[in-house]
Amino acid sequence: MPQPLPRIAVLASGRGSNLQAVLDAIAAGTLAGEVVGVFSDKPGAAALQRVTPALRWSAAARGYPSREAFDAELADAVAAVRPDWVLCAGYLRILGDAFVARFRGRTLNIHPSLLPKYRGLHTHARAIESGDAEHGASVHFVIPELDAGAVVAQAVVPVNAGDTPESLAERVLGVEHPLLLAVMRLAVSGRLAEHGATVQVDGHPLFTPLRLDFAGRLSDPASGVAA
Ligand code: GRF
């Protein structure tokens, strides 16, 4: 009997280019998984249109009496698709503690900065204002504290003279997609785990986040060994 494909639930609030990268990789046979639902706090999000209606769930948070009430309904909807992995890809709402606890150890987020630098919003403008020479993106496990979970992997881009937040965001987005896919490949192949505040790959703790190289491969920057 063929193994069932790992089930991926995606949370997205906006355009959904990271979701599209996942869908394209699955279609191309380079990511062994299945997107089993796309969930949004923005019923008008373009991300939702990237999958068939049967896979869409959305609700406007303002229609709920509390943050907890919205989160509980979202969590039930996500649980109903029985995900192996929950992927936050441009999901702009903070996930409550109950949601995080329910899917702990299998929820990943892609964030456009070299964490721990610049948690939260406006990361590109903040990197430029700080005069950073490098910026990038991180994929990390989700914990209750915003953008503070253990970092699995990062991709680095230069900050060029004359960069605007928009030009820098575009450069970062170009590495976000291969970064996300490389991490998702580790995840769906059962090689990735969260142990407390530490990432484990193949059962070994990771002391520094993996780095994406120009060929789209991940390696340990300390040893140079490919993941
Ligand atoms: C990306 O930059 C992601 O890192 C951030 O939000 C943006 C989402 O882009 N969390 P998209 O919706 O995947 O195109």
Side-chain angles (χ1 to χ4, degrees):
M1 279 253 291
Q3 288 284 326
L5 288 170
R7 301 171 66 81
I8 305 166
V10 179
L11 273 56
S13 302
R15 146 187 79 176
S17 70
N18 280 287
L19 164 64
Q20 190 64 53
V22 168
L23 292 167
D24 290 348
I26 290 172
T30 57
L31 178 66
E34 185 184 358
V35 171
V36 290
V38 174
F39 301 83
S40 187
D41 58 325
K42 299 269 185 294
L48 291 165
Q49 302 302 319
R50 298 181 185 269
V51 292
T52 57
L55 297 188
R56 299 176 194 156
W57 181 95
S58 68
R62 65 175 176 280
Y64 289 76
S66 64
R67 172 182 293 279
E68 291 73 26
F70 176 83
D71 260 31
E73 201 156 306
L74 172 67
D76 283 345
V78 171
V81 302
R82 296 177 291 106
D84 296 300
W85 290 94
V86 178
L87 173 61
C88 301
Y91 186 68
L92 298 178
R93 218 180 134 74
I94 294 172
L95 289 167
D97 293 5
F99 185 102
V100 173
R102 197 159 164 186
F103 302 103
R104 185 75 196 257
R106 52 191 169 123
T107 307
L108 294 165
N109 179 47
I110 181 149
H111 180 76
S113 81
L114 296 173
L115 291 169
K117 279 189 161 183
Y118 315 128
R119 294 171 182 165
L121 298 173
H122 311 302
T123 59
H124 310 300
R126 288 156 70 195
I128 292 170
E129 274 159 29
S130 301
D132 293 358
E134 290 186 327
H135 186 47
S138 306
V139 177
H140 65 91
F141 279 101
V142 173
I143 65 169
E145 199 186 334
L146 182 67
D147 299 329
V151 178
V152 180
Q154 297 183 316
V156 179
V157 300
V159 180
N160 295 341
D163 258 336
T164 61
E166 291 72 27
S167 65
L168 186 52
E170 202 178 311
R171 192 172 311 121
V172 171
L173 195 67
V175 296
E176 280 187 36
H177 299 163
L179 176 70
L180 181 61
L181 293 178
V183 173
M184 288 310 293
R185 282 185 198 109
L186 284 182
V188 298
S189 55
R191 301 179 58 200
L192 187 64
E194 182 197 33
H195 278 262
T198 309
V199 173
Q200 288 198 350
V201 177
D202 299 329
H204 302 293
L206 205 61
F207 296 109
T208 17
L210 298 169
R211 272 290 170 99
L212 187 79
D213 69 16
F214 290 108
R217 283 178 310 236
L218 294 174
S219 62
D220 184 336
S223 63
V225 174

